[in-house]
Each structure stands twice: as structure tokens, then as C-alpha cells.
Amino acid sequence: MSAIFTGKNLVRLERVTSTNSILSEMLSNSKPLVDGSAIMADEQTQGRGQQGAFWESSPSKNITLSLLYRPEFLAIDSQFYLSIAVSLGICDMLKDELNQEVQIKWPNDIYINNKKIAGILIENTLIGNKLKTSIIGIGLNVNQTEFISNAPNPCSMKNVSGKEYNLEQITDSLFESIENWYLQLKGAKFTELKNEYLKKLFRYKQEGYYKIDGHIVKAEIVDIDTSGRLVILVNNEIKTFDTKEIEFIL
Ligand code: BTN
């Protein structure tokens, strides 16, 4: 089995600044890119992570790619569900390959054994109240075993299993499992997507420590709202937070 349209138009590049930036430039130069087009690079010189961080990836060791979807069916208010679909796709592929529990640390970090194995950077364009294009940047650590940047707790597939992986085969499986969930999204299976996300959510219904307004507090994750904000129980009160407003203490 392989994906139907995801990654069918695949451009492989040796060295780029950032696959997300290149794909975005291609789009703004009105390149006719079909739904599911993807760009992969052996090396990124300015790999971008969330909140302006640098994404570390040794050349030719890992998967660094950007995928273009055209989710014109999706309302802006529901855009977090795209992040859910992509996260679940990555989790499924990793579960198949590694046979280990895979979790999602809110909003969309992929975790195994309390360590981050993959990250997602989604950049959308809008038309009216719908999404027009979505550039989905995925950094998945595969064969790299040592990390030098100050990223808090990285790990790779090889760190987990001790095995070396074929990047092409992993990429194919990744496209297939992401497409499965993307089709669920297209079929408006919001409840299923959210339920599956909560099942895999790191620290869901567990107490943990968080930094809010400069203070460390003990809290329990109880839900995510429809915009993808984190809903927690803190000091017997339910509160909702955006990514910039709360930090996990690991
Ligand atoms: C994160 O910080 O967790 C998100 C990391 C996203 C990294 C990927 S690598 C491919 C794509 N191109 C980029 O510049 N970033 C994303």
C-alpha cells in the first residue's frame, strides 16, 4: 500500500534554507503545485522550528520535508484539526515501525519515552473563512543518534530501536499514514480525530508541572478546545491557554 496523492509529486533537494520557506516561495511564484506535493531536503541550513527555534537535523540522517495540502473544505476555526490529523499520521507510522507507545505533546510534538522524536510546523494561507493552502513541515529524527543543539530532549528512531532505517521507505509510510488521517478530516470526522488525539495526548488527565506567567504550577490537562487551546485544571479552576501562555516543565 502507498499513499494515493500525498507525496506523488515529490521534489528532492540536496541543500536548502528551509523546505517550508522553499515551498512557500514556490507557491507565491504561482507554481502550479498539485494537492499533496512535497519537498524533501538532505540538509537545511535554516531549519525552522516552532516559535522561531532552529530545527537541528544532520544532513541525510533524518526526514525534513514539507507537504502541501489544499484543505479548502476546512474552516479557519477548525484548522487545529489539520494539526491533529498530521500528528496522528506520524504516530501511526512510528507505532508500526517501532512498536512502542507514541504520544503527542500538546500541541503537536511527537514523543516517545518522554523524548521528542518529531516536530511539525504548519503554515496556512486563507481564503475567506476557509483554508486555502497548508504547508506542513515535518522534521522526523530517524538515524541521527547525537544532538548538539539546546533542544530540550531530542531522540530518534535509531535511539529507540538501535536500528538504521531506509529514509525512502519511512517517507513512503509517513505519506500513507498522514493521508489516511487527512482523508478522515476531509470526511469531517472531527469527533474521531479529537478522541484519538486525546488518547495519545502526553499527560492527559495526569498531574504535571507548568510555567504560567512566570510561576510554576501543578495542573492537570483535561481537554483541548475546538481552536486547539489547552484546557487545564489548576487550583480547582478550569483555564484555557494558547501555546505562548503556558510552558511544560519536563
Ligand atoms: C518544531 O519545532 O517542533 C517544529 C519543527 C519542524 C521542522 C521541519 S523540518 C522540515 C520543515 N522545514 C522547516 O524549516 N521546518 C520544518
Side-chain angles (χ1 to χ4, degrees):
M1 271 283 282
S2 68
I4 303 163
F5 64 100
T6 305
K8 288 292 137 178
N9 175 30
L10 179 62
V11 179
R12 287 164 205 266
L13 300 169
E14 274 177 24
R15 195 162 188 259
V16 299
T17 48
S18 145
T19 54
N20 267 37
S21 305
I22 299 288
L23 190 50
S24 159
E25 277 165 31
M26 283 176 152
L27 271 179
S28 49
N29 294 338
S30 312
K31 285 247 171 14
L33 291 169
V34 292
D35 199 13
S37 294
I39 294 199
M40 288 186 75
D42 294 337
E43 183 180 359
Q44 295 188 119
T45 53
Q46 291 168 46
R48 293 191 283 120
Q50 287 155 26
Q51 296 176 11
F54 171 70
W55 183 256
E56 176 188 355
S57 179
S58 292
S60 306
K61 291 276 181 195
N62 304 312
I63 291 173
T64 48
L65 64 80
S66 300
L67 177 60
L68 172 74
Y69 276 143
R70 296 182 177 278
E72 287 152 5
F73 55 87
L74 193 63
I76 297 173
D77 292 350
S78 304
Q79 60 186 301
F80 189 67
Y81 285 87
L82 180 60
S83 170
I84 293 185
V86 175
S87 304
L88 291 174
I90 300 176
C91 288
D92 280 357
M93 185 283 290
L94 287 170
K95 175 87 182 64
D96 283 353
E97 293 292 335
L98 299 170
N99 205 16
Q100 291 255 348
E101 191 187 0
V102 188
Q103 291 193 300
I104 304 167
K105 176 175 159 279
W106 178 83
N108 56 16
D109 287 346
I110 310 302
Y111 264 51
I112 293 190
N113 298 328
N114 296 330
K115 291 188 169 178
K116 179 164 169 175
I117 194 162
I120 303 169
L121 181 68
I122 299 186
E123 296 174 311
N124 295 326
T125 64
L126 313 171
I127 183 160
N129 68 343
K130 294 272 159 70
L131 266 69
K132 184 173 178 223
T133 60
S134 183
I135 293 177
I136 299 161
I138 299 172
L140 168 66
N141 299 327
V142 183
N143 293 320
Q144 180 173 349
T145 49
E146 279 168 35
F147 296 85
I148 50 169
S149 72
N150 57 358
N153 50 1
C155 78
S156 68
M157 293 176 70
K158 188 169 178 184
N159 284 144
V160 173
S161 69
K163 286 199 262 176
E164 188 87 13
Y165 292 86
N166 176 314
L167 292 180
E168 245 171 68
Q169 187 254 308
I170 296 297
T171 307
D172 280 352
S173 312
L174 187 64
F175 285 148
E176 186 187 345
S177 47
I178 291 175
E179 186 174 283
N180 276 337
W181 283 106
Y182 184 70
L183 293 175
Q184 298 292 313
L185 179 65
K186 212 168 181 173
K189 301 269 192 281
F190 295 109
T191 311
E192 288 82 347
L193 280 153
K194 182 175 169 185
N195 287 345
E196 208 48 44
Y197 179 86
L198 289 180
K199 268 196 219 162
K200 294 196 161 57
L201 190 61
F202 175 73
R203 287 195 185 160
Y204 180 53
K205 299 218 165 146
Q206 282 171 24
E207 278 194 324
Y209 289 94
Y210 300 85
K211 197 183 207 177
I212 300 168
D213 284 335
H215 299 284
I216 308 281
V217 295
K218 201 190 228 184
E220 184 185 323
I221 298 176
V222 290
D223 204 358
I224 52 156
D225 72 9
T226 45
S227 318
R229 287 179 304 178
L230 192 69
V231 184
I232 63 170
L233 179 65
V234 54
N235 298 329
N236 286 321
E237 260 186 274
I238 297 286
K239 290 194 170 167
T240 304
F241 293 92
D242 240 320
T243 38
K244 289 187 195 87
E245 300 165 340
I246 184 166
E247 186 188 323
F248 282 64
I249 305 295
L250 296 169

